Every structure is written in C-alpha cells, then in structure tokens.
C-alpha cells in the first residue's frame, strides 16, 4: 500500500475536494485515495465546508493560500487585497511588515494641527522658574488642578494621517456640529472633577426621560464657553472645595472667557492664569 504523505493543502485544492464529494459519484474513502490524502483529512475538510467555500469566494484569499486565519490587523489584510489586484502573489503582509515599510519610507503618523502661536522663550522660562516653582512649594500635587475647554466635534473626520517626514499636513474644514467640554483634574491624576458640557439646545431630545445627568450641562447659541458659564462653574467648584475644607490651586489658560475680576472673591481656590500663548509650549 502506498504511503500517504501529509502535506498542507491549498484553498483551491480543498474546494476541489469538496466539489468531488458533493457530486456523490465516489465514496469519500476513494476520493481521499485519488487525491492521495488521509481519509480523516478529507473528513476535516468536509466538516469545515462552509468556511472553506466562503474563503474561496473571498477575493482577499489567494487560491494557493493554505491558512485561512485572518490577521489581527485589518490594514495588513488590506495590503494583501491590493497586492492581489495588482498581480503580486508573493506578498505576505503583517503588522511587522507594515511597520518596516513605514520605517523604510520615512512614513510617520502626524496630527493635522494648525500653526501654533509664538511665545517668548524668556516668558516661558520666567513663569516656570519664578511663578510656578513657588506655587508648587505651597500646594501638594493632590491640590493642584488644571482646567481647560476642548471642542468635541462629533461629526468630524479623523485628524491624523500617514505622511512622509518633513511634509506639511493640512486637514479639511471641520464640521461645525460640536459641544464644548470643560475638563478638570489634579496634578496626580487621581481626582477628576465632574465634566462641564456646553451644547446649543437647552433641552436636547436625547435628554428626554433622563432624571439626572453624569455631567454639568449648560447651553448657548454657539455651544461655546462664555464668561457667565465660566463664572457659574467657578463658584460651584469653589463651593465644593470649601465644603471639604480644602485649599487648592487652579491653573487656567489666558482665555477671554476666563475673566480675572472675580478671582479675589473665591474662598477655597487660588486661580492662576498662564501667560498668553504659553499652552503651545
């Protein structure tokens, strides 16, 4: 009896075996003998019939492919898809292949940022050495907080892309559908205050049936931070720390919506505004 050699079958071969079994002309044992494969191998192929036929109909799988395991990273699988359409049959894409490809060609992932405002290096150094260092001696990292607004453009496209090193990236115009979120946390990162969300609608439809929100919510026509909204948030936050008998330092940027005239009336918080444009550093 001829000894059968165990070999890995390609996708096209497995599909061919399945089609022979479906004809019903020969027994499975005879079909296995004709193709010189073990009978149990044919049984395993039939068991995974639907998976194999689906893979055979998928243009991402080459006919001579022996494994149908999909990659963990879909972008590597997409590389094989394009390679197949370009007639490249030897490409074996993987996450490592993609990283090496980017390294060889000097491709990096960059954010599509606007031009940052200029700031004096002297002003930056003076603030760090003279002002900030003295404040850090008075307050512990648990009592030093930083707050800032960020726009949440929930209909925007991604702001990152692959580009060659040295190239300037420009993004498309952002969608105007947005909310503003005030984020505040302490220096150690262990304490995060309740988010302040500013939207356009006073009573959004998504609030229907909601008795309490996990955030503070305010509204105005442009969904922007205003002096009145900031003032209300500042007093509420100060009152919160006052009830806990805490003395905290709050660092803020020099935004026009952050007026300084009310700072002296606070009882639990000392508010310090960063010099103009220092956030770029």
């Amino acid at each position: 009896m001829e000894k059968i050699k165990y070999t890995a079958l390609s996708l096209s071969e497995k599909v061919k075996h399945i089609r022979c079994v479906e004809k019903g002309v020969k027994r499975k044992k005879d079909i296995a003998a004709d193709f010189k494969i073990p009978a149990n191998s044919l049984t395993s192929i039939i068991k995974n019939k639907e998976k194999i036929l689906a893979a055979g109909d998928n243009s991402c799988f080459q006919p001579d492919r022996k494994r149908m395991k999909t990659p963990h990273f879909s972008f590597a699988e997409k590389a094989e898809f394009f390679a197949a359409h370009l007639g490249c049959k030897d490409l074996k894409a993987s996450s490592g292949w993609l990283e090496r490809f980017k390294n060889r060609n000097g491709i990096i992932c960059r954010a599509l940022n606007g031009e940052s405002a200029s700031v004096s290096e002297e002003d930056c150094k003076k603030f760090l050495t003279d002002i900030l260092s003295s404040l850090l001696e008075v307050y512990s990292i648990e009592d030093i907080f930083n707050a800032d607004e960020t726009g949440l453009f929930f209909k925007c496209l991604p702001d990152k892309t692959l580009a060659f090193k040295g190239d300037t990236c420009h993004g498309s115009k952002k969608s105007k559908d947005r909310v503003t979120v005030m984020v505040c946390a302490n220096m150690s990162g262990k304490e995060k205050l309740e988010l302040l969300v500013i939207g356009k609608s006073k009573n959004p439809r998504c609030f229907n049936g909601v008795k309490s929100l996990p955030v503070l919510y305010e509204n105005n026509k442009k969904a922007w931070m205003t002096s009145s909204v900031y003032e209300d948030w500042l007093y509420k936050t100060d009152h919160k720390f006052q009830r806990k008998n805490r003395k905290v330092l709050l660092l803020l940027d020099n935004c026009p919506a952050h007026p300084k005239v009310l700072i002296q009336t606070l009882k639990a918080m000392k508010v310090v505004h960063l010099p103009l444009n220092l956030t770029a550093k």
Side-chain angles (χ1 to χ4, degrees):
M1 182 178 178
E2 184 180 356
K3 186 176 181 180
I4 297 176
K5 183 179 179 181
Y6 287 86
T7 57
L9 299 175
S10 66
L11 178 60
S12 60
E13 289 174 329
K14 292 178 182 178
V15 172
K16 187 176 181 180
H17 299 346
I18 292 173
R19 297 306 184 195
C20 289
V21 173
E22 288 179 339
K23 290 180 180 179
V25 177
K26 294 183 178 181
R27 296 181 303 172
K28 294 179 182 178
K29 182 179 179 180
D30 296 331
I31 294 175
D34 290 342
F35 287 108
K36 298 182 180 180
I37 61 173
N40 57 349
S41 294
L42 182 61
T43 301
S44 178
I45 292 173
I46 300 302
K47 183 179 179 180
N48 296 286
K49 171 183 174 181
E50 294 183 1
K51 182 179 179 181
I52 294 171
L53 293 179
D57 295 333
N58 191 338
S59 59
C60 293
F61 290 94
Q62 297 294 324
D64 58 348
R65 184 166 177 166
K66 295 181 179 180
R67 297 186 65 190
M68 292 178 293
K69 183 178 180 181
T70 57
H72 293 292
F73 303 97
S74 58
F75 47 74
E77 183 179 357
K78 202 65 177 179
E80 291 191 355
F81 171 78
F82 287 121
H85 283 267
L86 292 172
C88 301
K89 298 182 179 181
D90 298 328
L91 176 66
K92 301 297 180 182
S94 65
S95 58
W97 167 85
L98 180 62
E99 289 303 317
R100 291 191 294 272
F101 174 83
K102 291 193 294 183
N103 291 336
R104 286 195 303 270
N105 294 277
I107 298 175
I108 58 175
C109 189
R110 297 183 60 183
L112 303 173
N113 295 324
E115 185 176 346
S116 60
S118 60
V119 58
S120 169
E121 292 291 343
E122 184 179 349
D123 292 341
C124 180
K125 184 177 180 180
K126 183 179 180 180
F127 177 79
L128 292 175
T129 56
D130 297 343
I131 301 176
L132 187 59
S133 59
S134 61
L135 291 171
L136 293 176
E137 294 177 357
V138 179
Y139 296 90
S140 69
I141 61 173
E142 302 295 336
D143 294 325
I144 299 176
F145 287 78
N146 175 230
D148 198 5
E149 300 92 347
T150 180
L152 177 58
F153 295 86
F154 51 88
K155 289 186 178 180
C156 254
L157 296 174
D159 62 350
K160 292 186 178 181
T161 185
L162 294 177
F164 291 101
K165 290 181 179 179
D167 284 1
T168 302
C169 300
H170 297 284
S172 58
K173 186 177 180 180
K174 291 185 177 181
S175 169
K176 295 182 179 180
D177 293 325
R178 59 169 285 168
V179 294
T180 298
V181 182
M182 169 73 93
V183 182
C184 185
N186 67 351
M187 188 173 177
S188 68
K190 295 180 180 179
E191 186 174 358
K192 301 172 185 178
L193 301 188
E194 191 175 23
L195 294 176
L196 169 64
V197 179
I198 307 169
K200 290 185 179 180
S201 176
K202 184 176 182 180
N203 295 300
R205 292 181 180 179
C206 58
F207 287 2
N208 291 341
V210 178
K211 296 182 179 179
S212 62
L213 295 173
V215 299
L216 298 173
Y217 182 77
E218 298 288 346
N219 75 287
N220 55 58
K221 291 182 179 180
K222 294 186 177 181
W224 286 356
M225 173 64 76
T226 63
S227 297
S228 59
V229 172
Y230 167 75
E231 177 184 346
D232 185 57
W233 175 84
L234 199 61
Y235 277 121
K236 287 181 179 178
T237 306
D238 182 68
H239 186 62
K240 174 183 176 180
F241 287 124
Q242 188 180 351
R243 291 199 309 268
K244 297 180 179 180
N245 295 319
R246 292 180 63 182
K247 295 293 183 180
V248 302
L249 171 67
L250 177 64
L251 296 173
L252 289 164
D253 61 9
N254 212 319
C255 172
H258 300 161
K260 303 178 182 180
V261 293
L262 304 172
I263 294 177
Q264 303 301 326
T265 61
L266 301 176
K267 298 180 179 180
M269 293 194 303
K270 177 180 178 62
V271 178
V272 174
H273 291 87
L274 301 176
L276 191 64
N277 297 331
L278 188 66
T279 50
K281 294 292 183 179

Coordinates of all heavy atoms in Angstrom, one line a residue, residues 144-149 180-186 191-198 214-218 224-243 248-253 257-259 262-263 266 269-273:
I144 N -3.4 70.6 43.3 CA -3.1 71.4 42.1 C -3.9 70.9 41.0 O -3.8 69.8 40.5 CB -1.6 71.4 41.8 CG1 -0.8 72.0 42.9 CG2 -1.3 72.3 40.5 CD1 0.7 71.9 42.7
F145 N -4.8 71.8 40.5 CA -5.7 71.4 39.4 C -5.5 72.2 38.1 O -5.0 73.3 38.2 CB -7.2 71.6 39.8 CG -7.7 70.6 40.8 CD1 -7.3 70.7 42.2 CD2 -8.5 69.5 40.4 CE1 -7.7 69.7 43.1 CE2 -8.9 68.5 41.4 CZ -8.5 68.7 42.7
N146 N -5.8 71.6 37.0 CA -5.7 72.3 35.7 C -7.0 72.0 35.0 O -7.5 70.9 34.9 CB -4.5 71.7 34.9 CG -4.5 72.3 33.5 OD1 -4.4 71.6 32.5 ND2 -4.6 73.6 33.4
A147 N -7.6 73.1 34.5 CA -8.8 73.0 33.8 C -8.7 73.6 32.4 O -7.9 74.6 32.2 CB -10.0 73.7 34.5
D148 N -9.4 73.1 31.4 CA -9.3 73.6 30.1 C -10.5 73.1 29.3 O -11.1 72.0 29.5 CB -8.0 73.2 29.4 CG -7.7 74.1 28.1 OD1 -8.5 75.0 27.9 OD2 -6.8 73.8 27.4
E149 N -10.9 73.9 28.3 CA -12.0 73.5 27.4 C -11.5 72.8 26.2 O -10.4 73.1 25.7 CB -12.8 74.8 27.0 CG -13.5 75.6 28.1 CD -12.6 76.7 28.6 OE1 -11.4 76.7 28.2 OE2 -13.0 77.6 29.3
T180 N -18.9 71.9 23.7 CA -17.7 72.2 24.4 C -17.7 71.5 25.7 O -18.7 71.4 26.4 CB -17.6 73.7 24.6 OG1 -17.6 74.4 23.3 CG2 -16.4 74.1 25.4
V181 N -16.5 71.0 26.1 CA -16.4 70.2 27.3 C -15.3 70.9 28.2 O -14.1 71.0 27.7 CB -16.0 68.7 27.1 CG1 -16.0 68.0 28.4 CG2 -17.1 68.1 26.1
M182 N -15.6 71.2 29.4 CA -14.6 71.7 30.3 C -14.1 70.5 31.2 O -14.9 69.8 31.8 CB -15.2 72.7 31.3 CG -14.3 73.1 32.5 SD -12.9 74.1 32.0 CE -13.5 75.7 32.3
V183 N -12.8 70.2 31.1 CA -12.1 69.1 31.8 C -11.3 69.6 32.9 O -10.5 70.6 32.6 CB -11.3 68.2 30.8 CG1 -10.7 67.0 31.5 CG2 -12.2 67.8 29.6
C184 N -11.3 69.0 34.0 CA -10.5 69.5 35.2 C -10.1 68.3 36.0 O -10.9 67.4 36.4 CB -11.3 70.5 36.0 SG -10.4 71.2 37.4
A185 N -8.8 68.2 36.3 CA -8.2 67.1 37.1 C -7.0 67.7 37.8 O -6.4 68.7 37.5 CB -7.8 66.0 36.2
N186 N -6.6 66.9 38.9 CA -5.5 67.4 39.7 C -4.2 66.8 39.1 O -4.2 66.0 38.2 CB -5.7 67.0 41.2 CG -5.6 65.5 41.4 OD1 -5.6 64.7 40.5 ND2 -5.6 65.1 42.7
E191 N -7.8 62.6 40.9 CA -9.1 63.3 41.1 C -9.5 64.0 39.9 O -8.8 64.9 39.4 CB -9.0 64.2 42.3 CG -10.3 64.8 42.7 CD -10.3 65.7 43.9 OE1 -9.2 65.8 44.6 OE2 -11.3 66.3 44.3
K192 N -10.7 63.7 39.3 CA -11.2 64.3 38.1 C -12.6 64.9 38.5 O -13.4 64.2 38.9 CB -11.3 63.3 37.0 CG -10.0 62.7 36.6 CD -10.1 61.5 35.6 CE -8.8 60.8 35.4 NZ -8.9 59.7 34.5
L193 N -12.7 66.2 38.2 CA -14.0 66.8 38.6 C -15.0 66.5 37.5 O -14.7 66.0 36.4 CB -13.8 68.3 38.6 CG -12.7 68.9 39.7 CD1 -12.8 70.4 39.7 CD2 -13.0 68.2 41.0
E194 N -16.3 66.7 37.9 CA -17.4 66.5 37.0 C -17.2 67.3 35.7 O -16.9 68.5 35.8 CB -18.7 66.9 37.8 CG -19.9 66.4 37.1 CD -21.2 66.7 37.9 OE1 -21.1 67.6 38.8 OE2 -22.2 66.0 37.7
L195 N -17.4 66.7 34.6 CA -17.3 67.4 33.3 C -18.4 68.5 33.2 O -19.5 68.3 33.6 CB -17.4 66.4 32.2 CG -16.3 65.4 32.0 CD1 -16.7 64.5 30.8 CD2 -15.0 66.0 31.8
L196 N -18.0 69.6 32.6 CA -19.0 70.6 32.2 C -19.2 70.6 30.7 O -18.2 70.8 30.0 CB -18.5 72.0 32.6 CG -19.3 73.2 32.1 CD1 -20.7 73.2 32.6 CD2 -18.6 74.5 32.4
V197 N -20.4 70.3 30.3 CA -20.6 70.1 28.8 C -21.5 71.3 28.4 O -22.6 71.6 29.1 CB -21.3 68.8 28.5 CG1 -21.7 68.7 27.0 CG2 -20.5 67.6 28.9
I198 N -21.2 72.0 27.3 CA -21.9 73.1 26.8 C -22.4 72.8 25.4 O -21.6 72.6 24.5 CB -21.0 74.4 26.8 CG1 -20.4 74.6 28.1 CG2 -21.9 75.6 26.3 CD1 -19.3 75.7 28.1
P214 N -24.8 62.7 34.2 CA -23.5 62.4 34.9 C -22.5 63.6 34.7 O -21.4 63.5 35.1 CB -23.0 61.2 34.1 CG -23.6 61.3 32.8 CD -24.9 61.9 33.0
V215 N -23.0 64.7 34.1 CA -22.2 65.9 33.8 C -23.0 67.1 34.2 O -24.2 67.1 34.3 CB -21.7 65.9 32.4 CG1 -20.9 64.7 32.0 CG2 -22.9 66.1 31.4
L216 N -22.3 68.2 34.3 CA -23.0 69.5 34.4 C -23.3 70.0 33.0 O -22.4 69.8 32.1 CB -22.1 70.6 35.1 CG -21.7 70.3 36.5 CD1 -20.6 71.3 37.0 CD2 -22.9 70.3 37.4
Y217 N -24.4 70.5 32.7 CA -24.8 70.9 31.3 C -25.3 72.3 31.3 O -26.1 72.8 32.1 CB -25.9 70.0 30.8 CG -26.3 70.3 29.4 CD1 -25.5 69.9 28.3 CD2 -27.4 71.0 29.1 CE1 -25.8 70.2 27.0 CE2 -27.8 71.3 27.8 CZ -26.9 70.9 26.7 OH -27.3 71.2 25.4
E218 N -24.7 73.1 30.3 CA -25.1 74.4 30.1 C -25.3 74.6 28.6 O -25.0 73.7 27.8 CB -24.0 75.4 30.5 CG -23.7 75.4 32.0 CD -24.9 76.0 32.8 OE1 -25.7 76.7 32.2 OE2 -24.9 75.8 34.1
W224 N -20.4 77.5 23.1 CA -19.1 77.9 23.5 C -19.0 78.2 25.0 O -20.0 78.5 25.6 CB -18.6 79.2 22.7 CG -18.3 78.9 21.3 CD1 -18.2 77.7 20.6 CD2 -18.0 79.9 20.3 NE1 -17.9 77.9 19.3 CE2 -17.7 79.2 19.1 CE3 -17.9 81.3 20.3 CZ2 -17.4 79.9 17.9 CZ3 -17.6 82.0 19.1 CH2 -17.3 81.3 17.9
M225 N -17.8 78.3 25.5 CA -17.6 78.8 26.8 C -17.8 80.3 26.8 O -17.2 81.0 26.0 CB -16.2 78.4 27.4 CG -15.9 79.0 28.7 SD -17.0 78.4 30.0 CE -16.3 76.7 30.3
T226 N -18.6 80.8 27.8 CA -18.8 82.2 27.9 C -18.4 82.6 29.4 O -18.2 81.8 30.2 CB -20.2 82.6 27.7 OG1 -21.1 82.0 28.7 CG2 -20.7 82.2 26.3
S227 N -18.2 83.9 29.6 CA -17.8 84.4 30.9 C -18.9 84.0 32.0 O -18.5 83.7 33.1 CB -17.7 85.9 30.9 OG -16.6 86.3 30.0
S228 N -20.1 84.1 31.6 CA -21.2 83.8 32.6 C -21.2 82.3 32.9 O -21.3 81.9 34.1 CB -22.6 84.2 32.0 OG -22.8 83.5 30.8
V229 N -21.0 81.4 31.9 CA -20.9 80.0 32.2 C -19.7 79.7 33.0 O -19.7 78.9 34.0 CB -20.9 79.2 30.9 CG1 -20.6 77.7 31.1 CG2 -22.2 79.4 30.1
Y230 N -18.6 80.3 32.7 CA -17.3 80.1 33.4 C -17.5 80.6 34.9 O -17.0 79.9 35.8 CB -16.2 80.8 32.8 CG -14.9 80.9 33.6 CD1 -14.1 79.8 33.8 CD2 -14.6 82.2 34.2 CE1 -12.9 80.0 34.5 CE2 -13.4 82.3 34.9 CZ -12.6 81.2 35.1 OH -11.5 81.3 35.8
E231 N -18.1 81.7 35.1 CA -18.3 82.3 36.4 C -19.1 81.3 37.3 O -18.8 81.0 38.4 CB -18.9 83.6 36.3 CG -19.2 84.3 37.7 CD -20.0 85.6 37.5 OE1 -20.0 86.1 36.4 OE2 -20.5 86.0 38.5
D232 N -20.2 80.8 36.7 CA -21.1 79.9 37.4 C -20.3 78.6 37.8 O -20.4 78.1 38.9 CB -22.3 79.6 36.6 CG -23.3 78.7 37.3 OD1 -23.8 79.1 38.4 OD2 -23.6 77.6 36.9
W233 N -19.6 78.1 36.9 CA -18.8 76.9 37.1 C -17.7 77.1 38.2 O -17.5 76.3 39.1 CB -18.1 76.4 35.8 CG -17.2 75.2 36.0 CD1 -17.5 73.9 36.1 CD2 -15.8 75.2 36.2 NE1 -16.4 73.1 36.3 CE2 -15.3 73.9 36.4 CE3 -14.8 76.3 36.3 CZ2 -14.0 73.6 36.6 CZ3 -13.5 75.9 36.5 CH2 -13.1 74.6 36.7
L234 N -17.1 78.3 38.1 CA -16.0 78.6 39.1 C -16.5 78.7 40.5 O -15.9 78.1 41.4 CB -15.4 79.9 38.7 CG -14.0 80.2 39.3 CD1 -13.0 79.1 38.8 CD2 -13.5 81.6 38.8
Y235 N -17.7 79.3 40.7 CA -18.3 79.4 42.0 C -18.7 78.1 42.6 O -18.6 77.8 43.7 CB -19.4 80.4 42.0 CG -19.0 81.9 42.1 CD1 -19.3 82.8 41.1 CD2 -18.3 82.3 43.2 CE1 -18.9 84.1 41.2 CE2 -17.8 83.6 43.3 CZ -18.2 84.5 42.3 OH -17.7 85.8 42.4
K236 N -19.3 77.3 41.7 CA -19.8 75.9 42.1 C -18.6 75.1 42.6 O -18.6 74.4 43.6 CB -20.5 75.2 41.0 CG -21.9 75.8 40.7 CD -22.6 75.0 39.6 CE -24.0 75.6 39.4 NZ -24.7 74.9 38.2
T237 N -17.5 75.1 41.8 CA -16.3 74.4 42.1 C -15.7 74.9 43.4 O -15.2 74.1 44.2 CB -15.3 74.4 41.0 OG1 -15.9 74.1 39.7 CG2 -14.1 73.5 41.2
D238 N -15.6 76.2 43.6 CA -15.1 76.8 44.8 C -15.9 76.3 46.0 O -15.3 76.0 47.1 CB -15.0 78.3 44.7 CG -14.4 78.9 45.9 OD1 -13.2 78.8 46.1 OD2 -15.2 79.6 46.6
H239 N -17.2 76.3 45.9 CA -18.1 76.0 47.0 C -17.9 74.5 47.3 O -17.9 74.1 48.5 CB -19.5 76.2 46.6 CG -20.5 76.0 47.7 ND1 -20.5 76.7 48.9 CD2 -21.5 75.1 47.8 CE1 -21.4 76.2 49.7 NE2 -22.1 75.3 49.0
K240 N -17.6 73.7 46.3 CA -17.4 72.2 46.6 C -16.1 72.0 47.4 O -16.2 71.2 48.4 CB -17.2 71.5 45.2 CG -16.9 70.1 45.3 CD -16.7 69.4 43.9 CE -16.2 68.0 44.1 NZ -16.0 67.4 42.7
F241 N -15.1 72.7 47.1 CA -13.8 72.6 47.8 C -14.0 73.2 49.2 O -13.4 72.8 50.2 CB -12.7 73.2 47.1 CG -12.2 72.4 45.9 CD1 -12.1 73.0 44.6 CD2 -11.8 71.1 46.1 CE1 -11.7 72.2 43.6 CE2 -11.4 70.3 45.0 CZ -11.3 70.9 43.7
Q242 N -14.8 74.3 49.3 CA -15.0 74.9 50.6 C -15.7 74.0 51.6 O -15.3 74.0 52.8 CB -15.8 76.2 50.4 CG -15.9 77.1 51.6 CD -16.7 78.4 51.3 OE1 -17.1 78.6 50.2 NE2 -17.0 79.1 52.4
R243 N -16.6 73.2 51.1 CA -17.3 72.3 52.0 C -16.4 71.2 52.5 O -16.6 70.7 53.6 CB -18.5 71.6 51.2 CG -19.6 72.6 50.9 CD -20.9 71.8 50.6 NE -20.7 70.7 49.6 CZ -20.8 70.9 48.3 NH1 -21.2 72.1 47.8 NH2 -20.6 69.9 47.4
V248 N -7.0 74.8 47.3 CA -6.5 74.2 46.0 C -6.0 75.3 45.1 O -6.4 76.5 45.2 CB -7.5 73.4 45.3 CG1 -8.0 72.2 46.2 CG2 -8.7 74.2 44.8
L249 N -5.1 75.0 44.2 CA -4.6 75.8 43.2 C -5.2 75.4 41.8 O -5.1 74.2 41.5 CB -3.1 75.8 43.1 CG -2.4 76.5 41.9 CD1 -2.6 78.0 42.0 CD2 -0.9 76.1 41.9
L250 N -5.8 76.4 41.1 CA -6.3 76.1 39.8 C -5.6 76.8 38.7 O -5.5 78.0 38.7 CB -7.8 76.4 39.7 CG -8.5 76.3 38.4 CD1 -8.6 74.8 38.0 CD2 -10.0 76.8 38.4
L251 N -5.0 76.1 37.8 CA -4.3 76.7 36.6 C -5.2 76.7 35.4 O -5.8 75.7 35.1 CB -3.0 75.9 36.3 CG -1.9 75.8 37.4 CD1 -0.8 74.9 37.0 CD2 -1.4 77.2 37.7
L252 N -5.3 77.9 34.8 CA -6.1 78.1 33.6 C -5.3 78.8 32.5 O -4.4 79.5 32.8 CB -7.4 78.9 34.0 CG -8.4 78.2 34.8 CD1 -9.4 79.2 35.4 CD2 -9.2 77.2 34.0
D253 N -5.8 78.6 31.3 CA -5.1 79.4 30.2 C -5.7 80.8 30.2 O -6.7 81.1 30.9 CB -5.3 78.7 28.9 CG -6.7 78.5 28.5 OD1 -7.6 79.1 29.1 OD2 -7.0 77.8 27.5
A257 N -12.7 84.2 27.9 CA -13.9 83.7 28.6 C -13.6 83.4 30.1 O -14.5 83.0 30.8 CB -14.5 82.5 27.9
H258 N -12.3 83.6 30.5 CA -11.9 83.4 31.8 C -11.5 84.7 32.5 O -10.4 85.1 32.6 CB -10.7 82.5 31.9 CG -10.9 81.1 31.3 ND1 -9.8 80.3 30.9 CD2 -12.0 80.4 31.0 CE1 -10.3 79.2 30.4 NE2 -11.6 79.2 30.4
P259 N -12.5 85.5 32.9 CA -12.3 86.8 33.5 C -11.5 86.7 34.8 O -11.7 85.7 35.6 CB -13.7 87.4 33.7 CG -14.6 86.2 33.7 CD -14.0 85.2 32.8
L262 N -13.1 88.2 39.2 CA -13.9 87.6 40.2 C -13.0 86.7 41.1 O -13.5 86.0 42.0 CB -15.0 86.7 39.6 CG -16.0 87.5 38.7 CD1 -16.9 86.5 38.0 CD2 -16.8 88.4 39.5
I263 N -11.7 86.6 40.8 CA -10.8 85.7 41.4 C -10.7 86.0 42.9 O -10.7 85.1 43.8 CB -9.4 85.7 40.8 CG1 -9.5 85.1 39.4 CG2 -8.4 84.9 41.6 CD1 -8.2 85.2 38.6
L266 N -13.1 84.3 45.6 CA -13.1 82.8 45.8 C -12.5 82.6 47.2 O -11.6 83.3 47.7 CB -12.3 82.1 44.8 CG -12.8 82.3 43.3 CD1 -11.9 81.6 42.4 CD2 -14.2 81.7 43.2
M269 N -10.3 78.4 46.4 CA -9.4 78.2 45.3 C -8.5 79.5 45.0 O -9.0 80.6 45.1 CB -10.2 77.9 44.0 CG -10.9 76.6 44.0 SD -11.4 76.1 42.4 CE -12.5 77.4 41.9
K270 N -7.3 79.2 44.6 CA -6.4 80.3 44.1 C -6.3 80.0 42.6 O -5.8 79.0 42.2 CB -5.0 80.2 44.8 CG -4.1 81.3 44.2 CD -2.7 81.2 44.9 CE -1.7 82.2 44.3 NZ -2.2 83.6 44.5
V271 N -6.7 80.9 41.8 CA -6.7 80.8 40.4 C -5.5 81.5 39.8 O -5.3 82.7 40.0 CB -8.0 81.3 39.7 CG1 -7.9 81.1 38.2 CG2 -9.2 80.5 40.3
V272 N -4.7 80.8 39.0 CA -3.6 81.4 38.3 C -3.7 81.2 36.8 O -3.9 80.0 36.3 CB -2.2 80.8 38.8 CG1 -1.1 81.3 38.0 CG2 -2.0 81.0 40.3
H273 N -3.6 82.3 36.0 CA -3.8 82.2 34.6 C -2.4 82.1 33.9 O -1.5 82.8 34.3 CB -4.5 83.4 34.0 CG -5.9 83.4 34.4 ND1 -6.4 84.0 35.6 CD2 -7.0 83.0 33.7 CE1 -7.7 83.9 35.6 NE2 -8.1 83.3 34.5

